[in-house]
Amino acid sequence: MNTIAEHIADFLKKYPPFDNLSFQELSEIATSIRVINLEKHKLLFHINDILHDSFYVVASGVINLTVIADAEETLINKCVEGDVFGLRPFFAKNNYMMTAKAREESIIYAIPIATFRTFVTHNSNVLEYLLESFASNSSNPNEIENLHGKLVSDNIYYSDQKSEMQYFQSLSYNTTPLKITTSSIVQEVAQLMTNTITNSAIVCQNDLPIGIVTHTDMSTKIATGRYSISTTIDKIMTSPVVTIMENVSLAEAQLLMLKYNVTHLCVTNDGTDKSTVKGIISEHDLIVAQASNPGVLIKEIKRSKSAEDLKSIRKRLTELIQKSLHKNIPLSHINNIASEINLAIIKRSVELAILDLGSPPVRFVWLSIGSQGRKEQLLSTDQDSILIFEDVTPDKYRDVKDYFIKLAKRTTVSLENVGYELCPNGHIASNMLWCKSLTDWTKQYSNWINTPGENSNEISSIFFDLEIAFGEHKLEEAIQNVIFNNVKNNVLFFDFLGNDALRKNSPLTFFKNFNVEELGVNKDKFDIKTRALMPLIDAARLFSLSYSVKGVNNTYLRFKQLSIVDPRNSEIYLNCAEAFLTLSKFRTLEGLKNDSSGQFINLHELSKADKEHLKNAFAPMRELEELIKTKFKLTQFS
């Protein structure tokens, strides 16, 4: 046997399942192994790639395994020396369900399945080990006692198909949609739709989607005689079309259809209408795939008549979150579903208040701020909100404001009855300070940004995390413009916000122990919100405002976006994104266990491996702190 094969056999012998094989068997396997050198960020296989004829072992370096969630790449696992992955070809015929990418320069051993299969069939220990791994949902590298040589499942969505978790799996859709142009004639399109037995056609310009025509358009606009059959399609199309990235789950697709009140979603290359069309998802696709899923909750919310109805739905959402976590569904994915349901509950509460009070005198917008504004509210934490109404003449101002204060009070009381506690700092729309006209809000934001700390000891940073729950989008856009126009090159503002971000206490003491509470009811517990999550939340907001990252409020997604806009520091941002998910999961599990906000972690209840896992999540914070100091030229606390 040659020395390279001998070296490989020696290496494999140290790790399961190879430690169940004799050295002679390993030597035979080693002679057929292919050694792959992967450069940093190089792909080994991609989601939906055709299966390879080998599975893989990490000889050195780190391989990241990711899935698509929230139309984002989400890290599921890190494979280090001795870890086995890419087993799908052993047990399944369909394509890869994950992407494997080198996090750093790595050496991988590719073991041909044809060669290895013989040893599997003759060794029950090896077979059981592989089967157990493939069928497991383990996406936490620390769950297997944090040992090297773990076998990583690439079957993250494996399930018995009985629970609603199947609705987090990718949805099948029509990959050959009917494409037409704006100048197409209605009669010809109707004929094409009949011939191809389809109920929709995507209107494209340079292969980019600009609109959609459905069977409903034909029956309501053509069959009724409103338009002639000889008219061009641009007269009856719906524009813009709602676009989405592929690998969307049934749950997400249904939520989007309900949110935008559409029956079709256009699948594009990057999920926007600025890239080529890949397919179409219809309501029929959902009906075929559907049984019971989070979309049902949205429908029930829309039909709710009282806070009591909404409360029972919120309780079911908590159960859904708990099941999702136990199934190891990616946290970013759970967040997306939960936030849509939370926003729907807020929206319905506003609607019920309007039904009680009568129509509003002018247009307005209800904005969630804080954790709801960042779409990070998995647990029933407190409610934070502001209300902006259109400008009115001075003589009408008082009456208009009175109406909206009444509306806000009814809504916040209703939400309190649902289970969202009132903000202890009074950051709610029913507070006179946080319910006012667009002009007043413009002045408020301008003052906060241009004279930070002058009228108060702090800027309430949560006011910069906004998510529309109900009302006029243009009012929300106007406030976003005020924010981004004022923060541009504003040294004083970033100095204030930067120092505020740095002022948070460290999660660990000088001796690397947890910085726990010293007094009160939470004595000896770890405040994961203040000491670990808030520094990441504050930093993500700070950098996003600095780089004018618009339309992204979620901390995890902010870090992902920052890794693109500031590629030199992408590694730091991506590590922070990963750390944020880890810490959020710890907090959520604590909250679900104790029916609390999960802010204070009882360290005595954590295993040694969990404590290490928690400490490891603090690692990127030091680099992030240095990045803040460098970027904003901060040398000391102000």
Side-chain angles (χ1 to χ4, degrees):
M1 185 174 74
N2 66 49
T3 50
I4 295 173
E6 203 172 302
H7 172 75
I8 292 171
D10 280 333
F11 173 86
L12 293 176
K13 185 67 183 164
K14 294 186 285 185
Y15 301 106
F18 310 106
D19 54 358
N20 286 293
L21 299 171
S22 69
F23 192 76
Q24 189 182 342
E25 288 172 319
L26 284 174
S27 302
E28 199 177 319
I29 292 162
T31 53
S32 66
I33 280 175
R34 194 161 44 92
V35 180
I36 302 169
N37 288 292
L38 276 187
E39 292 172 23
K40 187 176 180 179
H41 301 321
K42 191 85 174 165
L43 285 176
L44 186 61
F45 54 78
H46 193 269
I47 288 177
N48 283 335
D49 276 359
I50 292 166
L51 299 178
H52 297 179
D53 59 2
S54 302
F55 70 98
Y56 301 100
V57 181
V58 180
S60 67
V62 181
I63 301 294
N64 280 352
L65 293 186
T66 59
V67 295
I68 299 290
D70 308 348
E72 280 285 325
E73 216 173 10
T74 300
L75 186 73
I76 289 297
N77 221 322
K78 279 189 290 194
C79 302
V80 294
E81 188 179 298
D83 288 350
V84 179
F85 66 99
L87 277 166
R88 178 155 287 276
F90 256 115
F91 305 105
K93 297 282 179 270
N94 56 335
N95 298 350
Y96 284 112
M97 292 177 75
M98 288 188 176
T99 293
K101 186 196 287 186
R103 181 172 179 157
E104 57 191 55
E105 202 171 315
S106 305
I107 296 171
I108 309 298
Y109 294 151
I111 303 179
I113 283 165
T115 306
F116 196 70
R117 199 179 290 279
T118 317
F119 301 102
V120 174
T121 50
H122 291 111
N123 191 317
S124 59
N125 289 341
V126 175
L127 179 62
E128 276 172 33
Y129 186 81
L130 298 187
L131 277 169
E132 189 181 318
S133 166
F134 187 73
S136 89
N137 267 334
S138 179
S139 64
N140 177 357
N142 295 73
E143 278 179 6
I144 313 176
E145 291 303 305
N146 208 20
L147 293 172
H148 284 334
K150 64 186 179 297
L151 201 151
V152 180
S153 166
D154 66 343
N155 193 30
I156 190 68
Y157 295 131
Y158 177 92
S159 87
D160 57 10
Q161 300 301 310
K162 288 176 185 169
S163 79
E164 66 264 61
M165 286 312 105
Q166 64 189 285
Y167 302 104
F168 289 90
Q169 292 185 77
S170 294
L171 184 66
S172 302
Y173 61 89
N174 177 5
T175 53
T176 55
L178 186 57
K179 295 181 196 174
I180 55 174
T181 65
T182 49
S183 57
S184 301
I185 305 299
V186 167
Q187 187 175 9
E188 294 167 4
V189 174
Q191 195 60 55
L192 277 171
M193 285 168 71
T194 304
N195 294 345
T196 55
I197 320 171
T198 183
N199 61 4
S200 65
I202 297 285
V203 185
C204 293
Q205 203 166 44
N206 303 325
D207 207 30
L208 303 181
I210 59 166
I212 186 169
V213 175
T214 66
H215 177 74
T216 308
D217 293 318
M218 292 292 185
S219 49
T220 59
K221 295 171 185 174
I222 303 300
T224 55
R226 279 173 62 197
Y227 293 90
S228 157
I229 58 169
S230 59
T231 194
T232 52
I233 212 77
D234 58 328
K235 301 292 190 296
I236 69 160
M237 73 178 185
T238 302
S239 181
V241 63
V242 179
T243 54
I244 195 156
M245 197 182 267
E246 66 177 339
N247 289 87
V248 66
S249 67
L250 170 59
E252 285 173 296
Q254 180 152 40
L255 287 167
L256 282 166
M257 284 186 188
L258 289 163
K259 186 175 182 177
Y260 293 105
N261 195 25
V262 294
T263 54
H264 292 76
L265 301 171
C266 178
V267 182
T268 65
N269 226 14
D270 67 1
T272 74
D273 58 6
K274 302 289 185 291
S275 67
T276 52
V277 175
K278 296 195 77 172
I280 190 95
I281 297 172
S282 70
E283 208 168 35
H284 179 70
D285 295 328
L286 304 195
I287 293 162
V288 169
Q290 179 181 318
S292 168
N293 66 82
V296 172
L297 296 182
I298 294 274
K299 283 185 174 174
E300 287 186 28
I301 289 165
K302 288 186 170 189
R303 290 196 297 265
S304 294
K305 297 281 187 286
S306 66
E308 207 54 46
D309 292 345
L310 294 172
K311 186 176 184 177
S312 69
I313 294 167
R314 183 65 183 81
K315 192 178 174 190
R316 280 159 60 199
L317 171 60
T318 304
E319 289 163 8
L320 177 67
I321 291 166
Q322 203 150 17
K323 284 180 188 174
S324 306
L325 285 167
H326 288 154
K327 290 277 181 180
N328 281 309
I329 304 298
L331 193 71
S332 56
H333 203 138
I334 303 168
N335 245 329
N336 194 40
I337 303 298
S339 66
E340 290 298 344
I341 292 169
N342 278 319
L343 281 169
I345 289 172
I346 297 165
K347 183 180 181 183
R348 187 59 184 157
S349 299
V350 177
E351 285 171 351
L352 291 172
I354 290 171
L355 287 170
D356 278 349
L357 281 175
S359 297
V362 293
R363 285 178 293 187
F364 75 102
V365 67
W366 184 286
L367 295 172
S368 288
I369 59 173
S371 60
Q372 281 179 341
R374 292 190 302 273
K375 293 189 168 183
E376 291 164 5
Q377 197 181 46
L378 285 172
L379 301 162
S380 288
T381 51
D382 53 9
Q383 48 172 307
D384 301 278
S385 57
I386 66 173
L387 190 149
I388 306 168
F389 55 85
E390 273 183 326
D391 287 329
V392 292
T393 54
D395 58 310
K396 291 182 180 170
Y397 188 93
R398 192 168 192 172
D399 288 344
V400 169
K401 181 158 180 167
D402 280 350
Y403 170 89
F404 285 115
I405 289 287
K406 282 178 191 165
L407 175 79
K409 279 183 177 165
R410 283 176 192 243
T411 305
T412 52
V413 166
S414 175
L415 288 169
E416 190 180 14
N417 291 334
V418 171
Y420 304 97
E421 289 177 20
L422 296 174
C423 172
N425 299 316
H427 297 146
I428 45 175
S430 54
N431 183 331
M432 299 276 285
L433 289 170
W434 314 131
C435 171
K436 49 197 175 191
S437 70
L438 179 59
T439 295
D440 286 349
W441 272 115
T442 301
K443 287 176 188 167
Q444 176 73 74
Y445 274 97
S446 299
N447 284 340
W448 273 334
I449 296 164
N450 296 313
T451 56
E454 203 163 281
N455 300 314
S456 67
N457 293 329
E458 59 174 332
I459 297 174
S460 210
S461 315
I462 61 167
F463 286 88
F464 293 88
D465 303 331
L466 307 167
E467 179 64 33
I468 186 166
F470 184 94
E472 188 64 41
H473 279 272
K474 285 180 181 173
L475 291 170
E476 188 236 6
E477 280 171 28
I479 282 299
Q480 293 286 11
N481 290 337
V482 169
I483 293 170
F484 283 101
N485 291 339
N486 275 280
V487 301
K488 215 169 194 175
N489 304 319
N490 193 323
V491 177
L492 183 67
F493 174 72
F494 287 116
D495 180 74
F496 189 92
L497 219 59
N499 276 308
D500 191 51
L502 292 173
R503 205 175 280 119
K504 300 288 188 293
N505 291 324
S506 168
L508 296 176
T509 66
F510 181 77
F511 297 104
K512 304 297 178 203
N513 294 319
F514 286 98
N515 228 329
V516 295
E517 299 300 290
E518 294 177 1
L519 301 165
V521 289
N522 295 305
K523 188 176 186 299
D524 296 331
K525 289 184 180 177
F526 177 67
D527 184 348
I528 195 167
K529 177 186 173 183
T530 311
R531 295 184 185 273
L533 286 164
M534 286 313 295
L536 290 171
I537 290 165
D538 289 344
R541 181 193 302 112
L542 172 69
F543 283 111
S544 293
L545 287 169
S546 167
Y547 284 109
S548 291
V549 174
K550 296 179 183 175
V552 182
N553 299 323
N554 178 274
T555 302
Y556 169 74
L557 294 180
R558 274 173 167 167
F559 279 126
K560 298 283 273 193
Q561 196 64 34
L562 287 165
S563 72
I564 296 165
V565 298
D566 180 18
R568 283 178 309 166
N569 297 301
S570 65
E571 190 79 8
I572 297 173
Y573 297 129
L574 291 173
N575 287 341
C576 287
E578 197 182 315
F580 181 76
L581 288 186
T582 300
L583 294 166
S584 298
K585 189 168 182 179
F586 269 103
R587 181 183 179 179
T588 305
L589 289 170
E590 183 77 22
L592 291 169
K593 187 170 64 181
N594 300 307
D595 194 21
S596 68
S597 71
Q599 180 170 347
F600 295 94
I601 305 286
N602 190 338
L603 297 169
H604 300 302
E605 292 176 4
L606 294 185
S607 66
K608 189 179 177 183
D610 276 341
K611 284 179 188 170
E612 280 309 304
H613 193 200
L614 187 53
K615 281 184 184 177
N616 289 342
F618 305 149
M621 287 181 170
R622 179 62 59 195
E623 284 182 298
L624 189 64
E625 195 176 300
E626 290 307 313
L627 195 57
I628 292 171
K629 288 177 184 173
T630 307
K631 163 85 176 157
F632 302 103
K633 300 180 175 62
L634 304 173
T635 51
Q636 57 185 27
F637 297 149
S638 60

